[in-house]
Amino acid sequence: IMWNTILDILKQKAKEGIDVRVIYDDVGCVMKLPYKYGKQLEKYNIKCRVFNPFVPLFTNRLNNRDHRKIAIIDGYVGFMGGINLADEYINAYEKYGHWKDIGFKLTGTPVKSYNYMFIEFWNAFSNEKIDSNIINECLSERKNENGYIISYYDSPAYKEHISNNLYIDLLSQAINYAWFYTPYLIIGDFLMDALIKAAERGVDVRIFIPGIPDKKIVYRLSKSYYAPLLKAGIKIFEYTPGFIHAKACLIDDNIGTIGTVNLDYRSLFLHFECNSLFYKSSILDELKIDMIETQKKCKEVKEKDIKKGYFHRVFDAILRIFAPLC
């Protein structure tokens, strides 16, 4: 339902002469789309490129997927967040209970970074290049009267893991609270240490994760991180109505992020991701209200709820070995 209704509009716009382009990740859609689906779209004058096409030959690049979700209109309006084009994201299809996600809209100069993201990846996989000067024709510099917005994308090609380091920095500066939405909780030692240290110095650290899993093994792996976090005083809330797919953090009312970055190994180290950092922006007020309302629908996990038997500890330790693959 979701994609077909959007596709109808794209067909009409392409028919009107609008430049319509689509990039999708090959592995992410391999079980969802017909073979060479891009060729079908091009029949409607919709230009399409496939990111990092899957080949039956194992290479390190197979793990580097495009996890970003971006829609840009006329270079001036942008939609981003965690929402993919599938029916569960609009709850037209109940796959794992109620599906909770976050999307947001930007206008004006804050969209510039997302334009560059799309153009860079399009030009990497197409002989028909987009001239980046088109961005300046669509946008005019003007004062942003709703706080500050920095939009960026993370890349496995970078030496610095931007999102991972950003969350560590934000936690180190938190004074009152640090709240996170994430569908998965598979973190490295440095981020784990930053979460624990924040809680130990009195910061109210909360993590909201799904109550109904989409991948049971990954869900069990996420739970293997509960014990040290709870012991440090971090609060973990499981969303009982269903699955949280939202990716966001909020620190002390005045700074936060929303985007595609999960608190898991793949997002933090392997995938191409995008995020927007907001400072003193009204969207943070909306995010806080949403988190407070979401908590009412959650079950708080306590230390007594965690199974601590020998075999569970061994199983968790084995799962941790495979964390980079989950």
Side-chain angles (χ1 to χ4, degrees):
I1 296 171
M2 186 179 189
W3 170 239
N4 285 340
T5 52
I6 292 173
L7 181 58
D8 288 342
I9 297 170
L10 297 183
K11 288 178 183 177
Q12 180 60 37
K13 291 299 175 181
K15 197 172 182 181
E16 294 171 6
I18 301 297
D19 180 13
V20 180
R21 301 176 190 244
V22 174
I23 301 175
Y24 69 86
D25 183 87
D26 202 24
V27 170
C29 299
V30 70
M31 302 298 292
K32 307 291 184 181
L33 293 177
Y35 181 61
K36 292 188 176 180
Y37 183 68
K39 297 294 183 183
Q40 295 186 29
L41 294 182
E42 288 177 355
K43 293 178 181 178
Y44 307 116
N45 292 321
I46 298 172
K47 300 168 186 175
C48 182
R49 294 296 179 269
V50 180
F51 176 85
N52 199 359
F54 175 78
V55 291
L57 177 67
F58 182 78
T59 67
N60 289 336
R61 289 189 300 107
L62 280 181
N63 248 342
N64 303 140
R65 309 315 314 176
D66 186 7
H67 192 240
R68 301 170 305 163
K69 306 92 166 63
I70 303 170
I72 305 166
I73 294 88
D74 293 337
Y76 183 80
V77 178
F79 294 89
M80 302 86 189
I83 301 172
N84 291 306
L85 301 180
D87 287 352
E88 59 266 32
Y89 291 82
I90 55 172
N91 285 290
Y93 165 49
E94 193 169 289
K95 197 172 185 180
Y96 305 106
H98 181 267
W99 195 284
K100 177 174 178 55
D101 218 319
I102 291 180
F104 63 94
K105 174 185 175 182
L106 295 177
T107 58
T109 50
V111 184
K112 180 179 286 190
S113 295
Y114 285 102
N115 278 283
Y116 281 124
M117 291 180 207
F118 188 93
I119 290 173
E120 180 181 357
F121 273 51
W122 181 273
N123 289 348
F125 290 92
S126 175
N127 293 324
E128 182 191 348
K129 309 298 182 184
I130 303 175
D131 186 353
S132 60
N133 289 326
I134 192 175
I135 298 173
N136 294 322
E137 295 173 8
C138 298
L139 298 173
S140 59
E141 294 291 341
R142 62 188 181 88
K143 182 179 178 182
N144 183 4
E145 297 178 352
N146 192 1
Y148 297 86
I149 303 169
I150 299 175
S151 298
Y152 71 92
Y153 85 81
D154 220 341
S155 166
Y158 293 161
K159 291 182 180 180
E160 180 180 1
H161 304 295
I162 298 175
S163 296
N164 191 65
N165 292 345
L166 172 63
Y167 292 140
I168 291 171
D169 287 344
L170 291 175
L171 283 163
S172 72
Q173 298 174 53
I175 297 173
N176 297 312
Y177 71 87
W179 299 348
F180 292 85
Y181 277 146
T182 182
Y184 313 111
L185 185 61
I186 307 170
I187 52 180
D189 292 341
F190 292 115
L191 184 52
M192 171 75 84
D193 191 48
L195 287 163
I196 290 173
K197 283 183 176 177
E200 287 178 342
R201 68 174 189 270
V203 176
D204 174 14
V205 181
R206 304 182 192 183
I207 301 174
F208 299 86
I209 73 165
I212 299 176
D214 65 335
K215 304 176 182 72
K216 291 185 178 180
I217 292 295
V218 177
Y219 188 60
R220 183 71 194 99
L221 180 56
S222 293
K223 283 176 171 287
S224 75
Y225 289 82
Y226 281 11
L229 297 173
L230 292 172
K231 186 177 180 180
I234 293 169
K235 298 174 183 177
I236 298 175
F237 296 93
E238 294 181 345
Y239 183 63
T240 53
F243 189 76
I244 286 182
H245 191 257
K247 309 96 167 40
C249 83
L250 180 61
I251 312 288
D252 294 341
D253 283 352
N254 59 16
I255 193 166
T257 68
I258 304 174
T260 66
V261 182
N262 301 319
L263 294 184
D264 70 358
Y265 193 94
R266 298 189 67 84
S267 267
L268 295 171
F269 301 107
L270 296 177
H271 285 167
F272 293 90
E273 305 279 358
C274 62
N275 236 4
S276 284
L277 177 71
F278 299 92
Y279 178 67
K280 293 186 176 179
S281 175
S282 62
I283 194 173
L284 299 177
D285 298 329
E286 298 178 53
L287 178 59
K288 185 175 184 180
I289 292 170
D290 186 72
M291 287 180 156
I292 291 172
E293 290 301 312
T294 298
Q295 184 175 317
K296 296 176 183 178
K297 303 174 184 177
C298 292
K299 173 189 174 184
E300 183 175 358
V301 181
K302 301 291 186 178
E303 285 191 78
K304 62 182 177 61
D305 299 324
I306 303 173
K307 295 180 180 179
K308 301 178 181 179
Y310 174 77
F311 289 106
H312 282 97
R313 292 198 301 270
V314 171
F315 184 59
D316 287 349
I318 293 172
L319 281 178
R320 292 283 188 93
I321 296 172
F322 299 98
L325 299 177
C326 296

